[in-house]
């Protein structure tokens, strides 16, 4: 066994790379879940009767959250494809 | 003077010893290899201190019993109470744990060191451990040459253990050979006199070797071949425990106030415990005999009995001290105060930056992040007062329209004076510390450090921009011209909203809320572009404001825009986890603004 292979097997057996990757993936997944919940709440709120200012603020929030979710999904895909 | 003579004297004594006795040379080489092993082991564990260790430390020190358990487990695993002490001082210095938790960890670490005696007495002296040393050294050195930080760490740990084992082997061999020529046991002294002489030797040996662990291993090695008596070994162990605190006290002289307090706690704890042990020596020895018999240790197995004594003596000390930890902490905080002679008392200085946190890159980074927040807190005060607003109102739930109605002062506050007292030196200290911390860091750490430096620069520039903004803001926000007044109050509301949101971000744990607030702030910042949104043209064309007012408004909107941009960039750096940096890009902001215009 070459040194490189030996090192790879040590890394693999200790799960050093996977551990880090899993942590990051989990953190993005949790954030995405929170954002989706928030989006749902805003959508529900927008269905109710609101004044113009409130409606404008919520719509703006909804647009921002949609962009965040899109970016989060992209990042998750990048992790999965690595 | 004493310091200058100390090292040459030790070297001379050793050289003379090597000349007259090859066996002494072997024992000394064993000690040297053992100590080198400890350095290597510490280096190895430091490689892992970038995340896991900190997470465990932070989560397991919120209660006293947890702190003690953490100190015990960490020392038992790493076989080095000094590394645990360094980490503890580092965390204290970075403000991540309090002194009470720190003292708890030190108490636990004291018990943790007893595992070394158990391993050595139960395993190290009976098995030929040098046989394990060689493969460990070979594997360890191969791994040390690898690029990966984790593999390097494993390499150092293996090499450290290898050297520890090899050191123990040489000490044992040396004492066995030594026995053939000189019988140290013949020099044994009985009674109270012997107790104090050997306590003194234990102190001296530990101060010279800078490690109580090494002293205890040496005592066990000498005891196993009958070179010292059991009673004298007990006295040496007590001495080693006092000696280790002297080492810590000497080490803390160059450390910050937290390091000094912790070393003070360690000293008081160990010396008091030693004094009690001397007073009730007979009773402790009787208890050791009872415990040893009950767990099946033979009457003449003095090495294991010494391990029992070491454990009993230290556990007794911890149990006796637990009720007084609160008092000990208050006593240390009152007795050892931070150096107030650091120039002008009005000038704010760094709270978390000190040499003790430089030791570990992760704590250096944590301290810098906290200090950046400290700098921001000062900047927040200056910006709020520059906008003629009360800080308390900004962070309250009060409507922002109401917030701007309550002025902080009738006159413009002196931002230059504020800047000189609260920002300038602090910023200088942060930059100086960051430069020094960099030398110990990996390229990834250096990149994060660079981001922190940028965040600090952003804060300082935001304060400078506030100074420029303030001149007209105070004048026009109370102007009789309602139009210019409205524009300047819009700027005040906008910046107050941003400061409020950053305050929420700084205290929130909800990452979705944090990124949402920052993204919103980014969108709202665009409101200051009064040229693009036509506000300025409209006001001038309709003769609502004078040309002079128009120029001022244009310049000040640009300042407000810059302040917002810088504070958002700063918040992004210090409040958001690198993996979750999902703040809107400029294109995203444009797309939201376009959508708004269409509505």
């Amino acid at each position: 066994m070459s040194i490189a292979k030996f090192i790879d097997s040590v890394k693999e057996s200790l799960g050093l790379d996977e551990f880090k990757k899993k942590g990051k993936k989990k953190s993005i997944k949790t954030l995405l879940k929170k954002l989706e919940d928030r989006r749902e709440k805003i959508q529900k709120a927008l269905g109710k009767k609101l004044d113009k200012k409130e409606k404008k603020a919520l719509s703006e929030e909804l647009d921002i959250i949609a962009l965040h979710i899109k970016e989060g999904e992209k990042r998750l895909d990048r992790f999965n494809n690595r | 003077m004493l310091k200058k003579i100390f090292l040459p004297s030790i070297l001379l004594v050793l050289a003379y010893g090597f000349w007259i006795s090859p066996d002494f040379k072997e024992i000394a080489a064993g000690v040297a290899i053992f100590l080198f092993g400890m350095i290597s082991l510490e280096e190895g564990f430091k490689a892992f201190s970038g995340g896991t260790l900190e997470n465990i430390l932070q989560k397991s020190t919120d209660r006293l019993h947890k702190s003690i358990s953490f100190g015990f487990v960490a020392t038992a695993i790493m076989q080095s109470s000094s590394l645990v002490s360094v980490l503890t001082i580092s965390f204290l210095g970075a403000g991540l744990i309090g002194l009470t938790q720190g003292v708890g960890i030190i108490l636990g670490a004291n018990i943790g060191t007893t595992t070394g005696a158990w391993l050595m007495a139960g395993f190290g002296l009976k098995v030929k451990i040098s046989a394990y040393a060689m493969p460990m050294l070979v594997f360890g050195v191969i791994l040390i040459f690898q690029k990966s930080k984790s593999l390097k760490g494993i390499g150092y740990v293996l090499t450290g253990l290898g050297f520890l084992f090899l050191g123990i082997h040489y000490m044992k061999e040396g004492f066995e050979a030594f026995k053939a020529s000189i019988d140290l046991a013949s020099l044994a002294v009985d009674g109270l006199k012997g107790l104090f002489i050997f306590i003194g030797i234990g102190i001296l040996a530990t101060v010279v070797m800078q490690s109580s662990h090494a002293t205890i291993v040496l005592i066990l090695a000498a005891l196993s071949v009958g070179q010292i008596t059991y009673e004298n070994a007990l006295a040496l162990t007590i001495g080693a425990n006092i000696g280790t605190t002297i080492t810590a006290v000497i080490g803390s002289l160059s450390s910050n106030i937290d390091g000094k307090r912790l070393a003070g706690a360690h000293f008081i704890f160990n010396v008091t415990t030693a004094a009690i042990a001397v007073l009730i020596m007979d009773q402790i020895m009787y208890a050791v005999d009872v415990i040893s018999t009950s767990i099946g240790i033979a009457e003449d197995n003095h090495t294991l009995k010494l391990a029992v004594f070491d454990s009993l003596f230290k556990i007794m000390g911890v149990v006796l001290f637990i009720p007084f930890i609160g008092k000990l902490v208050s006593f240390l905080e009152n007795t050892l105060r931070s150096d107030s002679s650091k120039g002008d008392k009005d000038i704010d200085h760094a709270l978390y930056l000190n040499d003790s946190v430089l030791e570990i890159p992760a704590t250096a980074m944590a301290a810098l992040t906290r200090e950046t927040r400290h700098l921001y807190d000062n900047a927040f005060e200056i910006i709020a007062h520059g906008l003629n607003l009360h800080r308390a109102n900004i962070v309250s739930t009060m409507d922002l329209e109401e917030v701007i109605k309550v002025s902080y002062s009738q006159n413009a506050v002196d931002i230059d004076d504020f800047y000189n007292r609260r920002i300038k030196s602090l910023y200088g200290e942060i930059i100086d510390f960051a430069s020094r911390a960099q030398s110990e860091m990996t390229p990834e750490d250096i990149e994060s450090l660079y981001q922190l430096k940028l965040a600090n620069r952003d804060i300082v520039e935001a304060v400078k921009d506030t100074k420029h903004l303030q001149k007209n803001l105070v004048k026009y926000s109370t102007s009789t011209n309602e139009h210019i007044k409205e524009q300047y109050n819009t700027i005040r509301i906008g910046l107050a909203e941003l400061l409020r949101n950053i305050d929420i971000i700084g205290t929130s744990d909800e990452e979705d809320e944090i990124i949402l607030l920052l993204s919103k702030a980014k969108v709202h910042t665009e409101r200051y572009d009064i040229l693009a949104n036509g506000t300025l043209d409209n006001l001038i064309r309709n003769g609502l404001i004078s040309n002079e007012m128009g120029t001022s408004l244009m310049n000040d909107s640009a300042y407000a825009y810059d302040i917002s941009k810088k504070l958002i960039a700063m918040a992004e750096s210090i409040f958001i986890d690198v993996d979750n940096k999902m703040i809107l890009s400029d294109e995203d902001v444009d797309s939201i603004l376009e959508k708004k215009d269409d509505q």
Side-chain angles (χ1 to χ4, degrees), chain A residues 3-4 6-8 10-11 14 16 19-20 23-24 27-28 31-32 34-35 38 42 53 56-57 59-65 67-69 71-73 75 79, chain B residues 48 52 139 142-143 146 148 150-151 154 399 401 444 509-513 515-516 519-520 523-524 577-584 588-589 591-592 595-596 599:
Chain A
I3 292 177
F6 168 74
I7 291 162
D8 284 342
V10 171
K11 269 185 174 179
L14 293 175
L16 294 175
F19 181 70
K20 219 172 173 183
K24 283 182 184 175
S27 141
I28 295 180
L31 181 58
L32 269 175
K34 283 182 182 174
L35 286 168
R38 199 179 268 268
I42 296 174
K53 203 178 159 189
K56 208 175 150 189
S59 301
E60 184 190 86
E61 249 181 50
L62 201 60
D63 290 340
I64 295 172
I65 289 174
L67 288 166
H68 284 154
I69 292 176
E71 175 61 26
E73 282 168 348
R75 282 172 186 236
F79 262 114
Chain B
F48 294 106
T52 325
F139 288 130
I142 291 173
L143 293 178
Q146 301 311 313
S148 153
S150 310
L151 285 180
I154 296 170
D399 191 83
E401 301 273 354
E444 295 92 60
D509 289 328
E510 300 298 324
E511 281 198 309
D512 58 327
E513 185 185 26
I515 60 167
L516 186 62
S519 294
K520 265 164 93 174
V523 174
H524 291 176
D577 177 15
V578 181
D579 298 328
N580 289 335
K581 275 198 176 157
M582 301 204 301
I583 309 301
L584 300 186
D588 291 337
V589 172
S591 75
I592 287 176
K595 208 171 169 188
K596 256 181 161 181
Q599 280 170 359

Side-chain angles (χ1 to χ4, degrees), chain B residues 4 66 74 108 131 163 169 185 189 289 299 313 357 369 420 458 465 486 493 533:
Chain B
K4 277 182 186 168
K66 281 190 183 177
F163 279 125
H169 166 77
V189 185
D289 286 338
E299 180 63 29
F313 159 64
V357 300
T369 308
N420 287 327
D458 285 337
D465 286 339
E486 189 191 337
I493 289 178
N533 65 27

Side-chain angles (χ1 to χ4, degrees), chain B residues 144-265:
Chain B
I144 283 174
F145 287 117
Q146 301 311 313
K147 275 185 186 165
S148 153
K149 201 180 158 193
S150 310
L151 285 180
K152 244 185 215 297
I154 296 170
Y156 274 112
V157 171
L158 279 178
T159 315
L161 286 173
F163 279 125
L164 286 188
F165 288 178
L166 202 63
I168 291 170
H169 166 77
Y170 277 116
M171 279 187 238
K172 215 174 103 185
E173 294 271 301
F175 272 116
E176 266 164 15
F178 206 41
K179 200 183 176 186
S181 49
I182 303 168
D183 186 10
L184 283 178
S186 63
L187 304 173
V189 185
D190 287 335
L192 212 57
K193 193 179 160 197
L195 186 68
F196 285 115
I197 289 174
F198 279 87
I199 286 177
I201 296 172
I203 294 173
L204 192 69
T206 310
V207 170
V208 172
M209 291 192 284
Q210 303 272 305
S211 163
S212 64
H213 197 43
T215 311
I216 289 174
V217 170
L218 196 64
I219 297 166
L220 283 165
L223 184 65
S224 70
V225 293
Q227 279 284 35
I228 49 172
T229 64
Y230 171 61
E231 287 74 19
N232 290 158
L234 299 185
L236 284 167
T237 309
I238 296 174
N241 279 295
I242 302 174
T244 193
T245 64
I246 293 171
T247 312
V249 168
I250 294 169
S252 75
L253 292 179
S254 58
S255 138
N256 67 328
I257 189 67
D258 294 309
K260 287 187 179 107
R261 284 175 184 156
L262 206 65

Side-chain angles (χ1 to χ4, degrees), chain B residues 285-403:
Chain B
M285 279 172 73
Y286 174 72
V288 168
D289 286 338
V290 172
I291 294 168
S292 300
T293 315
S294 66
I295 56 174
I297 296 172
E299 180 63 29
D300 59 346
N301 191 341
H302 288 144
T303 50
L304 274 178
K305 278 174 82 177
L306 184 75
V308 174
F309 171 80
D310 191 36
S311 306
L312 185 67
F313 159 64
K314 284 169 181 168
I315 293 169
M316 175 196 81
V318 172
V319 172
L320 284 174
F321 257 82
I322 287 175
F324 304 106
I325 287 182
K327 281 188 178 156
L328 178 67
V329 167
S330 323
F331 169 74
L332 290 164
E333 280 172 348
N334 291 329
T335 319
L336 301 169
R337 290 171 184 276
S338 52
D339 189 10
S340 56
S341 58
K342 214 177 179 181
D344 191 344
K345 273 185 185 169
D346 280 347
I347 292 177
D348 198 16
H349 290 285
L351 297 175
Y352 308 101
L353 310 181
N354 53 67
D355 290 351
S356 67
V357 300
L358 271 177
E359 192 90 20
I360 299 152
T363 46
M365 199 69 91
L368 271 167
T369 308
R370 288 193 154 219
E371 208 59 66
T372 307
R373 288 189 187 199
H374 175 201
L375 184 75
Y376 171 70
D377 285 342
N378 289 356
F380 173 51
E381 186 182 352
I382 302 173
I383 297 170
H385 294 169
L387 296 171
N388 207 7
L389 301 172
H390 284 276
R391 275 185 300 165
N393 292 346
I394 293 177
V395 297
S396 69
T397 51
M398 196 172 165
D399 191 83
L400 289 170
E401 301 273 354
E402 298 301 314
V403 170

